[in-house]
């Protein structure tokens, strides 16, 4: 790295502290008692355990959940199947086993909840590609700084620097914990946010977390690079200016390799394959060369992967498709004797789907694609929102600094308050450089011929998947959260019902619709399922599409359905849903090699698990869109973002009329508006509605999509089990089932020697001086 001219003071401070290249120990964390080792996980030991509902109440809820999607005859059969499940003894026996299993897991400290092992296996066991089947995406809003908004290097450096700072806080356990309306939320998923990798296995995948990860991998033109970003103690080792220089050098180096060569060596496309096939190919790659094993270890153990795409989407529809699965573009290359070779020139191979990916396009547009088995959207949203907010604050600081000066009390505070100590300027007492090596390096693989063949096959088969996928972004601008809340309804319930009514308006059918509800108020909580197709929702579909009902009748039906939806969301948030409990019973029977009870082969159970409308709310001002693929071949995957003045839907399907469905959804939203009161005529009282439009200073309210109108309780409805008081939990040691914590095997010296050094390029003087000021 090239040291800035204004770094002399930093050099002097660094002298005498770098005998081993590490910065001095950090000062005590402010605001915490001396004995408290962790700020991030301070509330873990006090979180209640996810309750196990009684079997009778869950089966009653099950019948209500499938009622609207069944015929009268099917409902009678479901009732009989439930009664037989109870009377035969299968259900009560499994329920007793589940309670004992949960108590044993708590007592031994092996399980955080009764569903943990089984839910992890639901992600990790299937032999299907993670692309479009599992990994969700975010499309971020444009950056705040006009100078950087369209600059790929500038935008990427800004986001990477903020990401490194957040990784630093998590390593040092100084990240402010999540709180929702005064209720602490489980922070365990954050242990698998950075330094984690889904590793393919021939039996069942595992998630490995390298807790002391310190480097970042950069994927550019299908080629792999890396650089060190953290000191051993977690302090950030690079500045935003350093990162700009690193990325500039990487882009320059990546351009040297011909596109035709790079696509034939695009190992990232192998992560799109079915898991067992990818596991076999990965093992073969490792066995063929120790160099390959070391290169894969560097990728696996990286904090995250930065993807630099040589592509600028023409519109938002192309933007969300690129974040979901990349682009498909075929170039024709002339060959001898009049032949042509078709070369994949899209971004679809420039990915590594086994890890958290920060994707930045040529025009500066950016997003995230994340591996979903160990973290949910809520956790990934905290990452995206904090990082995006930090870039806004950084830009604001550059403005206010010219008025108040650096370090003034009036200056704007950082969102991510992490220590930064540039390795490039650390010197010893004699003034000799002795900091960590943060220079970019290129990973080179020894790829056997049979793997090269498989790369070509994988690219072709993945191309088929992209062709079969259709994505469309609906950005509804006429109204948003404020209008809906003003009409005394939950925006989340309102949006959920809009999607169901839109489907009914096209096909005349009420179908199974799924919405995940946050259960992180419980220890190791993830989500519970809420089924939107309720009795009142079905009545709304019929009432709203009828030519013979009045506006008053339609509005009443809408409010009744929204009220019911909100009540069921509240139950699900309290751990009293249907899906997780029944699924755990089924898995426990399989685990103990018991015969599968007939109930789990019934039409009612199959109906509940055929989710035509798979939906999820991940709302935050940092996001323009959020989405994922459908979960069944004839379904839609719909992610949505609720904003104050608009509603954003990202819709995907396979071989269905995605754009036509979006058109129907737009029409439903317009029709809903006609039966509601204009916002100008609505008076918001100082009661619950008013409080919902205010931020709570003591909480991190970044997950705005989860509760607008009191669906969630102030605290979990369940209390810790009677024996949990005697159980001691470590604030920062516990990991989810199937998540393996390990140390990095890449020492600083091995990281320094593993890759080929990339030639550094000097940045423009003005950029260097600007970074010096920051």
């Amino acid at each position: 790295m090239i040291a800035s001219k204004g770094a002399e003071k930093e050099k002097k401070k660094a002298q005498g502290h770098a005998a081993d290249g590490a910065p001095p120990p950090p000062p005590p964390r402010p605001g915490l008692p001396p004995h408290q080792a962790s700020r991030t996980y301070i509330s873990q030991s006090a979180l209640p355990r996810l309750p196990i509902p009684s079997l009778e109440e869950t089966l009653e809820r099950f019948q209500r959940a499938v009622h609207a999607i069944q015929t009268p005859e099917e409902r009678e059969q479901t009732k009989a199947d439930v009664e037989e499940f109870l009377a035969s003894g299968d259900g009560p026996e499994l329920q007793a086993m589940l309670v004992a299993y949960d108590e044993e897991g708590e007592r031994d400290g092996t399980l955080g909840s009764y569903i943990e092992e089984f839910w992890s296996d639901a992600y990790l066991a299937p032999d299907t590609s993670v692309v479009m089947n599992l990994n969700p995406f975010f499309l971020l809003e444009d950056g705040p700084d006009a100078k950087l908004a369209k600059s790929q290097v500038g935008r990427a450096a800004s986001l990477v620097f903020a990401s490194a700072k957040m990784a630093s806080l998590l390593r040092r356990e100084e990240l402010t914990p999540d709180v929702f309306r005064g209720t602490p939320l489980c922070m365990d998923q954050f242990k698998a946010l950075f330094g984690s990798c889904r590793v393919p296995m021939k039996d069942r995948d595992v998630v490995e977390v390298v807790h002391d990860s310190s480097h970042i991998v950069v994927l550019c033109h299908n080629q792999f690079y890396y650089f060190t970003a953290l000191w051993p103690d977690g302090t950030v080792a690079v500045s935003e200016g350093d990162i700009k220089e690193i990325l500039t050098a990487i882009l320059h180096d990546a351009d040297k390799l011909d596109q035709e060569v790079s696509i034939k060596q695009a190992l990232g496309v192998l992560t799109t394959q079915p898991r067992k096939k990818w596991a076999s190919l990965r093992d073969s790659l490792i066995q063929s060369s120790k160099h390959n094993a070391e290169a894969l270890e560097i990728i696996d153990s990286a904090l995250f992967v930065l993807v630099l795409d040589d592509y600028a989407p023409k519109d938002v529809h192309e933007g969300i498709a690129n974040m979901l699965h990349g682009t498909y573009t075929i170039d024709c290359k002339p060959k001898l004797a009049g032949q042509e070779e078709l070369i994949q020139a899209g971004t679809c191979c420039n990915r590594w789907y086994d890890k958290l990916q920060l994707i930045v396009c040529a025009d500066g547009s950016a997003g995230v694609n994340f591996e979903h088995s160990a973290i949910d959207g809520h956790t990934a949203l905290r990452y995206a929102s904090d990082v995006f907010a930090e870039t806004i604050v950084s830009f604001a600081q550059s403005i206010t600094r010219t008025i108040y000066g650096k370090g003034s009390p009036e200056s704007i505070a950082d969102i991510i308050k992490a220590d930064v100590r540039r390795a490039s300027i650390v010197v010893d007492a004699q003034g000799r450089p002795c900091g960590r090596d943060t220079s970019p390096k290129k990973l080179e693989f020894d790829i056997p011929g049979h793997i090269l063949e498989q790369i070509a096959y994988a690219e072709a088969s993945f191309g088929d998947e992209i062709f079969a996928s259709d994505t469309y972004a609906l950005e509804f601008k006429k109204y948003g959260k404020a209008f809906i809340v003003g009409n005394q309804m939950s925006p989340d319930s309102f949006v959920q019902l809009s999607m169901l009514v839109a489907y009914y308006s096209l096909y005349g059918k009420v179908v199974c619709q799924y919405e995940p509800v946050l259960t992180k108020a419980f220890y190791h909580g993830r989500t519970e399922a809420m089924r939107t197709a309720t009795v009142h929702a079905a009545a709304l579909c019929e009432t709203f599409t009828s030519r013979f009902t009045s506006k008053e009748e339609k509005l009443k039906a809408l409010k009744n359905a929204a009220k019911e939806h909100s009540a069921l969301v509240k139950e699900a948030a309290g751990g009293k849903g249907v899906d997780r409990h029944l699924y755990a019973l089924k898995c426990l029977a399989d685990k103990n090699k018991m015969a599968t009870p007939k109930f789990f082969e019934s039409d009612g159970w199959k109906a509940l698990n055929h989710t035509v409308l798979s939906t999820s709310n991940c709302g935050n001002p940092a996001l323009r869109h959020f989405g994922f693929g459908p979960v069944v071949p004839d379904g839609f995957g719909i992610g949505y973002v609720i904003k104050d003045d608009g509603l954003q839907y990202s819709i995907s399907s396979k071989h269905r009329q995605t754009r036509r469905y979006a058109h129907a959804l737009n029409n439903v939203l317009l029709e809903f508006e006609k039966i509601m009161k204009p916002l100008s005529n609505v008076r918001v009282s100082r009661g619950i509605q008013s409080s919902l439009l205010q931020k709570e200073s003591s909480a991190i309210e970044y997950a705005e999509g989860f509760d607008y109108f009191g669906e969630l309780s102030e605290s979990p409805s369940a209390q810790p089990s009677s024996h949990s008081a005697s159980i001691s939990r470590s604030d920062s040691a516990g990991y989810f089932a199937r998540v393996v914590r390990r140390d990095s095997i890449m020492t600083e010296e091995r990281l320094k020697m593993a890759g080929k050094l990339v030639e550094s390029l000097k940045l423009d003087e003005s950029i260097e001086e600007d970074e010096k000021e920051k």
Side-chain angles (χ1 to χ4, degrees), residues 53-67 78-88 90-92 95 576-579 581-583 585 599-600 602 605 608:
S54 72
L55 182 59
E56 290 75 15
E57 65 177 319
T58 296
L59 290 173
E60 177 62 30
R61 290 192 182 97
F62 166 72
Q63 292 179 80
R64 295 203 307 266
V66 297
H67 185 277
T78 294
K79 182 180 178 181
D81 291 335
V82 166
E83 291 173 350
E84 196 263 343
F85 186 51
L86 288 169
S88 67
D90 289 341
Q95 176 75 359
K576 295 187 176 182
V578 174
D579 292 57
H581 183 196
L582 293 181
Y583 183 68
L585 295 177
F599 172 80
F600 295 112
S602 68
W605 175 252
L608 182 75

Side-chain angles (χ1 to χ4, degrees), residues 271-538:
T271 64
T272 71
Q273 294 298 283
R275 302 307 295 179
K276 290 180 181 178
K277 183 176 182 179
W278 169 215
S280 177
L281 294 173
R282 178 186 161 101
D283 287 347
S284 179
L285 191 64
I286 291 172
Q287 294 300 320
S288 66
S289 166
K290 291 183 179 179
H291 185 70
N292 291 342
E294 190 169 62
L296 284 172
E297 168 63 20
I298 289 175
I299 296 174
D300 291 349
S301 62
L303 290 166
F304 59 91
V305 175
L306 169 67
V307 176
L308 298 177
D309 277 345
D310 183 20
Y311 166 78
K314 297 175 183 178
D315 53 38
V316 68
H317 311 295
E318 288 190 359
I320 64 173
N322 186 52
M323 295 302 162
L324 177 62
H325 51 59
T327 63
Y328 176 96
T329 304
I330 296 294
D331 281 354
C332 293
K333 298 289 185 180
K335 309 296 283 187
L336 297 175
Q339 294 181 333
E340 291 181 334
E341 184 176 10
L342 301 183
I343 301 296
Q344 177 60 255
T347 65
C348 59
C349 299
N350 195 45
R351 298 287 186 273
W352 195 265
Y353 286 102
D354 290 348
K355 290 184 68 69
L356 172 68
Q357 299 177 96
L358 175 62
I359 304 169
V360 183
C361 297
D363 64 351
S365 59
V368 174
N369 185 293
F370 60 95
E371 204 288 309
H372 191 16
S373 56
I375 65 171
D376 294 315
H378 184 261
T379 302
L381 180 60
R382 170 73 187 274
Y383 161 68
S385 64
D386 276 18
V387 165
F388 186 82
E390 181 68 14
T391 65
I392 294 176
V393 167
S394 178
F395 176 57
Q397 288 171 339
S398 70
I399 298 172
T400 58
R401 191 161 48 242
T402 62
I403 302 172
Y404 303 112
K406 187 175 181 180
S408 169
E410 289 81 9
S411 61
I412 301 172
D414 291 336
I415 297 295
I416 308 176
K417 300 179 177 65
D419 295 332
V420 180
R421 188 177 179 82
R422 295 180 61 204
S424 61
I425 63 168
V426 173
V427 293
D428 61 18
Q430 286 73 43
R432 294 172 299 192
C434 61
R436 296 205 87 179
D437 180 12
T438 57
S439 302
K441 298 175 180 64
K442 183 176 181 179
L443 287 175
E444 295 183 330
F445 289 84
D446 300 324
I447 307 179
H450 72 283
I451 296 293
L452 291 173
E453 292 176 353
Q454 292 299 324
I455 289 173
Y457 298 150
E459 182 274 314
S461 62
F462 187 44
D464 285 344
E465 293 298 319
I466 294 175
F467 261 76
S469 176
D470 188 24
T471 56
Y472 189 84
L474 172 61
E475 299 190 325
F476 186 80
K477 301 294 187 183
K478 289 209 68 177
Y479 60 83
K481 176 181 72 173
F483 176 70
I484 302 166
V485 170
N487 275 271
Q488 308 289 299
M489 278 182 283
S490 155
D492 183 68
S493 299
F494 181 92
V495 171
Q496 281 286 317
L497 294 167
S498 72
M499 294 182 285
L500 189 66
V501 174
Y503 192 95
Y504 188 89
S505 72
L506 269 183
Y507 301 103
K509 184 179 181 181
V510 177
V511 293
C512 184
Q513 182 169 326
Y514 171 101
E515 177 188 15
V517 177
L518 195 70
T519 56
K520 287 174 75 173
F522 297 99
Y523 185 65
H524 283 203
R526 294 195 62 166
T527 61
E528 178 56 87
M530 192 278 157
R531 299 292 177 171
T532 305
T534 63
V535 172
H536 281 99

Side-chain angles (χ1 to χ4, degrees), residues 626-690:
F626 152 67
F628 44 87
V631 298
V632 293
D634 60 336
F636 289 94
I638 311 173
Y640 56 96
V641 178
I642 300 173
K643 295 181 177 285
D644 285 341
D645 56 357
L647 306 171
Q648 317 275 74
Y649 301 80
S650 178
I651 309 167
S652 68
S653 73
K654 296 180 179 180
H655 304 296
R656 296 205 68 170
Q657 302 172 82
T658 311
R659 181 170 298 204
R660 188 176 181 184
Y661 173 76
H663 183 265
L665 181 53
N666 185 76
N667 286 343
V668 166
L669 294 172
L670 292 173
E671 291 298 318
F672 276 0
E673 182 188 24
K674 292 179 181 178
I675 65 173
M676 297 165 71
K677 295 179 182 179
L679 189 59
S680 59
N681 294 337
V682 176
R683 296 185 62 187
V684 181
S685 71
R686 295 186 179 181
I688 183 171
Q689 296 91 349
S690 177

Side-chain angles (χ1 to χ4, degrees), residues 58-118:
T58 296
L59 290 173
E60 177 62 30
R61 290 192 182 97
F62 166 72
Q63 292 179 80
R64 295 203 307 266
V66 297
H67 185 277
I69 59 176
Q70 290 187 312
T71 65
E73 294 76 18
E74 289 169 337
R75 291 169 195 149
E76 287 300 316
Q77 182 59 54
T78 294
K79 182 180 178 181
D81 291 335
V82 166
E83 291 173 350
E84 196 263 343
F85 186 51
L86 288 169
S88 67
D90 289 341
E93 180 184 5
L94 287 173
Q95 176 75 359
M97 291 172 62
L98 184 63
V99 171
Y101 167 80
D102 183 51
E103 291 178 351
E104 181 182 359
E106 181 179 16
R107 184 170 57 251
D108 298 343
T110 55
L111 290 174
S113 76
Y114 73 86
I115 190 62
E116 183 172 301
E117 176 186 356
F118 307 131

Side-chain angles (χ1 to χ4, degrees), residues 151-193:
S151 165
Q152 183 178 38
V153 168
R155 186 85 194 276
S158 175
L159 293 169
V160 168
F161 183 53
S163 299
K165 290 170 70 177
M166 186 172 185
S168 172
L169 290 186
L170 275 172
R171 168 84 73 81
R172 296 156 70 100
E173 299 186 6
E174 294 173 346
L175 184 72
T176 302
D178 288 347
V179 178
F180 189 81
R181 296 192 173 180
T183 299
L185 301 183
C186 183
M187 294 293 290
D188 253 59
Q189 290 183 34
F190 286 89
K191 297 170 187 172
L193 179 59

